[in-house]
Amino acid sequence: MTSDSVSQAALLDARPQLDQRAGRVTAAMFLTMLSLGLLFSVYSLVQDMDGAGTVMTTWTPFLLLGVALLIALGFEFVNGFHDTANAVATVIYTHSLPPHFAVVWSGCFNFLGVLLSSGAVAFGVITLLPVELILQVGSSAGFAMVFALLIAAILWNLGTWWLGLPASSSHTLIGSIIGVGIANALMHGRDGTSGVEWSQVVKVGYSLLLSPVIGFVFAILMLLLLRTLVKNRTLYKAPEGKTPPPWWIRSLLVLTCTGVSFAHGSNDGQKGMGLIMLILVGTLPTAYALNRAMPVEHTTQFVAVAEVTQQALLKDLPQPVVVEDPRQVLSGYLRSKEAPAELIPAVAALTGVIADEVRDYGALARVPAEAVANVRNDMYLASEAIRLMEKDEIGNFDADTQGKLQAFKKQIDGATRFIPLWVKVAVAIALGLGTMVGWRRIVVTVGEKIGKSHLTYAQGASAESVAMLTIGAADMFGLPVSTTHVLSSGVAGTMAANGSGLQMGTIRNLLMAWVLTLPAAILLSGSLYWLFTRLF
């Protein structure tokens, strides 16, 4: 037998058993989680509707709600088996954990990541959407927007998954949002660029370019550092049979797999939450447009904060300015990102309107059904205008006025930006169960098709550690770094550093998928939005 034949036989012997079917315990756990999640979600939804006094006069909103929720949860399900396969590839190919146990383990920490997430990312996604569609989310155009961006993201994710290409679900979703924004602007006779927040697009573009470089370079450095500090030669060779690595590096691999899975759940899961809340606001505004759980005793404080904020804004004006329609002024500002002369008076006027609305009704829970959408839209416009003014450094406010503005923004965000527990549970289950299904294609690509040799213990630890640390740093600084890009390029970096060689066909396909994700998602979602607005 030739040396090449012996080497090939050794690689096949070291290959994990990926084709083994899940046992009955796993299947039973899958069905139990699915059933309990559905029951809890339906029960909570009915309770919220009863508590808000929602009167059912037609089944149409509930049919739309059901379809929209299925599509939104479908996106998170696909996201689960598309993205999280990256987290388990290294522990599987280094035999640190058995394949099915690794997948279930990762799914559980995705689940916990979603449940313990703050919700900040969820509403950050919504700010990228066209302002006029957010204000009319219950209209046919609003539903066309939600359906178009979600279906476009699902189609691209499924396509890249079928080809075994680890593309980024986050970039796919952002591309879909950009596509809807451009299409909406063009359909209303405006320049396509006016429907997009290009500062966010630039951040995503930088991330798209830099995250593979970060993964590649830092994984090389990590592997070289490991070689310098640890002289155990078995770490730098392919596993012999199904032998697991030494306990300390095995612990490191399991720890980093856990960290990546938790971070993925806490970050990516929120994107689905934000879209689901948008759907709920559009279909059941009485129950979900305003946070009805806000205590009645907070009403006095809310009104007081709004009034002192209005006075502080008016105090800084050189002369009184009358604004006939503050809502129109702020909508135009959010759409064009160009500050008109009456911007600050408009914010002050709308702040006073919000104070009067909350004072007159006495509590958010007492706002009548016919007024809920208007009150929420007023709060949304004020919050986004304040956010954008601060970003653009408009107003040159003193510290006292700036503090009052932030306190008022915090009050109105608390009234409109909330996520019920059942939404978190539904998304957590969709993402967690998605992790346990369909993971093999991406795992095989990461584990076998990037490099020309089997993944070693040191390579797996280096690539996964870089991914976990990079995601942690990105979360701290609010940078949109892709887990998929960092990990897969990290594996490529370790293969290059180890002298193993790269499979250039796979590398070319990966680069093509990364480059095409944004334009493909933009084109898909924009086309679907145009089509759906014609059908609805």
Side-chain angles (χ1 to χ4, degrees):
M1 183 179 290
T2 65
S3 59
D4 287 343
S5 300
V6 173
S7 176
Q8 187 65 25
L11 287 175
L12 290 174
D13 186 46
R15 188 180 189 272
Q17 295 179 350
L18 301 177
D19 298 328
Q20 184 179 1
R21 293 186 176 182
R24 292 182 177 179
V25 175
T26 303
M29 184 174 67
F30 183 100
L31 293 173
T32 300
M33 286 181 64
L34 184 61
S35 301
L36 290 176
L38 285 173
L39 287 173
F40 177 73
S41 298
V42 171
Y43 172 78
S44 300
L45 183 61
V46 172
Q47 288 293 104
D48 289 345
M49 289 168 55
D50 287 343
T54 304
V55 179
M56 186 176 68
T57 57
T58 174
W59 282 98
T60 302
F62 297 96
L63 290 175
L64 285 172
L65 174 63
V67 172
L69 286 179
L70 283 176
I71 295 174
L73 293 175
F75 166 75
E76 288 299 340
F77 185 82
V78 173
N79 188 2
F81 67 71
H82 188 282
D83 277 21
T84 315
N86 294 281
V88 299
T90 54
V91 292
I92 289 174
Y93 272 85
T94 57
H95 308 297
S96 298
L97 291 175
H100 282 289
F101 183 85
V103 170
V104 173
W105 180 268
S106 178
C108 290
F109 279 92
N110 265 277
F111 182 91
L112 289 174
V114 176
L115 286 184
L116 299 177
S117 61
S118 64
V121 175
F123 296 104
V125 171
I126 293 177
T127 62
L128 300 177
L129 295 168
V131 62
E132 60 265 32
L133 293 183
I134 295 177
L135 298 179
Q136 300 176 6
V137 69
S139 65
S140 59
F143 279 105
M145 170 188 68
V146 173
F147 288 156
L149 66 90
L150 283 172
I151 292 174
I154 290 172
L155 289 175
W156 183 253
N157 275 350
L158 285 176
T160 51
W161 165 80
W162 181 258
L163 296 172
L165 300 176
S168 169
S169 292
S170 297
H171 288 160
T172 303
L173 183 61
I174 291 172
S176 299
I177 291 172
I178 294 170
V180 169
I182 292 174
N184 182 69
L186 292 174
M187 289 167 63
H188 286 82
R190 301 194 305 269
D191 183 355
T193 59
S194 65
V196 178
E197 188 170 341
W198 288 106
S199 60
Q200 184 66 28
V201 176
V202 170
K203 285 178 65 177
V204 174
Y206 280 133
S207 169
L208 191 64
L209 293 172
L210 292 178
S211 56
V213 176
I214 291 171
F216 190 86
V217 172
F218 280 86
I220 290 175
L221 296 176
M222 182 75 77
L223 183 61
L224 294 177
L225 178 65
L226 199 59
R227 277 183 172 176
T228 303
L229 299 177
V230 182
K231 302 300 182 182
N232 188 342
R233 298 182 64 183
T234 60
L235 298 181
Y236 312 104
K237 296 180 180 179
E240 295 182 2
K242 304 296 188 293
T243 306
W247 69 269
W248 64 271
I249 203 163
R250 185 178 190 181
S251 301
L252 176 62
L253 281 160
V254 173
L255 174 65
T256 51
C257 167
T258 304
V260 170
S261 300
F262 185 87
H264 179 263
S266 65
N267 193 287
D268 278 37
Q270 292 191 58
K271 299 175 178 68
M273 288 183 211
L275 295 171
I276 286 175
M277 289 309 299
L278 205 60
I279 293 165
L280 291 171
V281 169
T283 52
L284 299 172
T286 307
Y288 296 107
L290 296 173
N291 188 358
R292 304 179 68 87
M294 182 177 286
V296 176
E297 55 268 22
H298 286 189
T299 303
T300 304
Q301 180 186 2
F302 187 104
V303 173
V305 170
E307 288 177 340
V308 297
T309 302
Q310 183 187 27
Q311 292 167 6
L313 289 171
L314 294 174
K315 176 194 68 177
D316 291 336
L317 293 177
Q319 58 185 13
V321 178
V322 178
V323 181
E324 294 183 1
D325 190 350
R327 299 178 181 90
Q328 189 66 31
V329 173
L330 298 188
S331 296
Y333 171 55
L334 294 178
R335 185 168 51 245
S336 67
K337 308 299 187 293
E338 296 179 1
E342 63 270 28
L343 175 59
I344 295 175
V347 174
L350 193 58
T351 301
V353 169
I354 293 170
D356 292 339
E357 288 171 338
V358 176
R359 184 195 302 106
D360 292 343
Y361 294 124
L364 295 182
R366 297 174 188 166
V367 177
E370 62 273 12
V372 164
N374 287 335
V375 175
R376 179 187 180 275
N377 285 349
D378 288 345
M379 292 182 177
Y380 174 81
L381 283 172
S383 175
E384 285 303 292
I386 294 170
R387 178 185 68 83
L388 202 57
M389 286 167 59
E390 181 181 8
K391 177 184 172 184
D392 296 340
E393 297 182 351
I394 293 173
N396 295 320
F397 302 119
D398 57 33
D400 180 63
T401 302
Q402 191 65 41
K404 289 172 180 175
L405 267 176
Q406 289 305 312
F408 177 60
K409 186 179 186 301
K410 184 176 180 180
Q411 292 271 9
I412 53 181
D413 284 349
T416 57
R417 303 188 178 196
F418 64 101
I419 300 176
L421 178 61
W422 72 266
V423 172
K424 285 190 174 185
V425 170
V427 171
I429 289 175
L431 193 65
L433 294 183
T435 303
M436 303 177 194
V437 176
W439 47 273
R440 291 178 182 81
R441 289 180 183 272
I442 306 295
V443 164
V444 169
T445 296
V446 174
E448 298 181 21
K449 296 182 179 180
I450 293 179
K452 293 182 178 179
S453 63
H454 193 287
L455 196 71
T456 67
Y457 304 135
Q459 287 175 315
S462 299
E464 194 85 68
S465 298
V466 166
M468 186 182 74
L469 293 173
T470 304
I471 295 169
D475 284 345
M476 286 176 59
F477 294 103
L479 299 174
V481 173
S482 167
T483 307
T484 305
H485 293 177
V486 175
L487 185 64
S488 52
S489 58
V491 171
T494 61
M495 290 291 176
N498 211 38
S500 309
L502 299 171
Q503 298 190 39
M504 296 312 298
T506 301
I507 299 300
R508 282 193 297 270
N509 289 338
L510 287 175
L511 291 173
M512 185 175 296
W514 294 349
V515 170
L516 291 179
T517 290
L518 278 179
I522 289 170
L523 183 61
L524 268 174
S525 64
S527 302
L528 287 173
Y529 176 71
W530 178 87
L531 177 63
F532 290 158
T533 52
R534 297 294 184 272
L535 295 177
F536 291 169

